[in-house]
Amino acid sequence: GIQVEQSPPDLILQEGANSTLRCNFSDSVNNLQWFHQNPWGQLINLFYIPSGTKQNGRLSATTVATERYSLLYISSSQTTDSGVYFCAVALTNFGNEKLTFGTGTRLTIIP
Amino acid sequence: NAGVTQTPKFQVLKTGQSMTLQCAQDMNHNSMYWYRQDPGMGLRLIYYSASEGTTDKGEVPNGYNVSRLNKREFSLRLESAAPSQTSVYFCASRTGGVGTQYFGPGTRLLVL
């Protein structure tokens, strides 16, 4: 199956700092999603980004499918950005899709 | 539009007891999924249903059964719960083709 590695595993930053989270995957995919799991356990969709670049406010993401990696950028961090960020990938065939998750990056923003 | 809903939110079982976790979506999605999340880990796929009337095994199906009751509902059953099934269970849904999976709020299950 597809292997997904995320780095760094843990990141502690001051409020206002910028950060870059990385996701490497081992095979071709046609689905890549970034999620934020907040301290209450809720999974929040951030981006569906199998290729290219997207931006949503202070967050942006870039996936380079040919080189099998994706980056999530968080600018001007706020304490509400704390939580675990997951990358998940899948190769979808005939409607069948099995998302494989990385083990996440735990981000802690200090006031 | 509630999205993906799950019941119950929290459950405690004794070893050997059975229970069914319920999931429903109101987005008219074709595909539905059950995942489990263990402490410090990402989610792992238990079962999925690409369309009404079909189900298939994921990465960790042992000890579970599923039913795709109709297009809206996808249930997960533990016939004889074991402590190793203590976890947080997430249901998700997705429209056909390729696209975003949307997740429910999760069910926390503790098996004693």
Side-chain angles (χ1 to χ4, degrees):
Chain A
I2 300 173
Q3 305 299 312
V4 182
E5 294 182 357
Q6 292 186 243
S7 59
D10 292 280
L11 191 56
I12 301 173
L13 296 172
Q14 256 348 105
E15 197 168 23
N18 301 328
S19 58
T20 301
L21 283 58
R22 186 176 180 102
C23 172
N24 292 332
F25 45 96
S26 62
D27 209 340
S28 298
V29 299
N30 55 13
N31 184 352
L32 188 147
Q33 294 185 236
W34 282 98
F35 298 90
H36 174 213
Q37 187 167 40
N38 65 23
W40 296 269
Q42 185 182 8
L43 275 167
I44 301 163
N45 284 300
L46 297 178
F47 294 102
Y48 168 76
I49 185 165
S51 63
T53 298
K54 290 186 178 180
Q55 180 155 8
N56 184 3
R58 296 181 296 103
L59 274 62
S60 64
T62 295
T63 297
V64 183
T66 53
E67 297 187 22
R68 299 180 183 169
Y69 73 89
S70 183
L71 302 173
L72 177 69
Y73 305 97
I74 305 173
S75 64
S76 304
S77 299
Q78 301 174 359
T79 55
T80 52
D81 294 331
S82 293
V84 182
Y85 289 80
F86 289 105
C87 165
V89 303
L91 181 60
T92 306
N93 289 311
F94 304 103
N96 292 322
E97 179 177 275
K98 302 180 183 182
L99 272 182
T100 299
F101 280 74
T103 53
T105 292
R106 181 173 298 277
L107 178 64
T108 303
I109 304 299
I110 301 171
Chain B
N1 190 340
V4 180
T5 57
Q6 294 183 234
T7 56
K9 287 185 171 56
F10 181 72
Q11 184 72 45
V12 179
L13 291 178
K14 294 181 180 178
T15 297
Q17 288 185 317
S18 62
M19 78 163 294
T20 299
L21 282 65
Q22 305 287 354
C23 173
Q25 51 90 11
D26 62 1
M27 296 176 282
N28 201 34
H29 285 169
N30 292 321
S31 301
M32 296 185 73
Y33 307 83
W34 277 105
Y35 295 86
R36 61 178 286 174
Q37 184 179 27
D38 299 315
M41 296 182 67
L43 280 67
R44 292 183 293 168
L45 182 65
I46 305 171
Y47 270 94
Y48 67 101
S49 171
S51 61
E52 187 178 353
T54 68
T55 61
D56 210 343
K57 295 178 180 179
E59 182 183 353
V60 287
N62 291 343
Y64 305 96
N65 287 302
V66 291
S67 295
R68 183 74 182 268
L69 304 170
N70 47 56
K71 192 171 185 178
R72 288 188 65 246
E73 298 172 291
F74 189 36
S75 62
L76 179 73
R77 182 160 179 85
L78 287 70
E79 291 291 351
S80 179
S84 61
Q85 295 179 303
T86 293
S87 191
V88 181
Y89 291 85
F90 288 94
C91 177
S93 71
R94 183 178 68 91
T95 190
V98 294
T100 303
Q101 287 195 21
Y102 295 91
F103 283 78
T107 294
R108 292 183 178 274
L109 176 66
L110 175 61
V111 183
L112 301 175

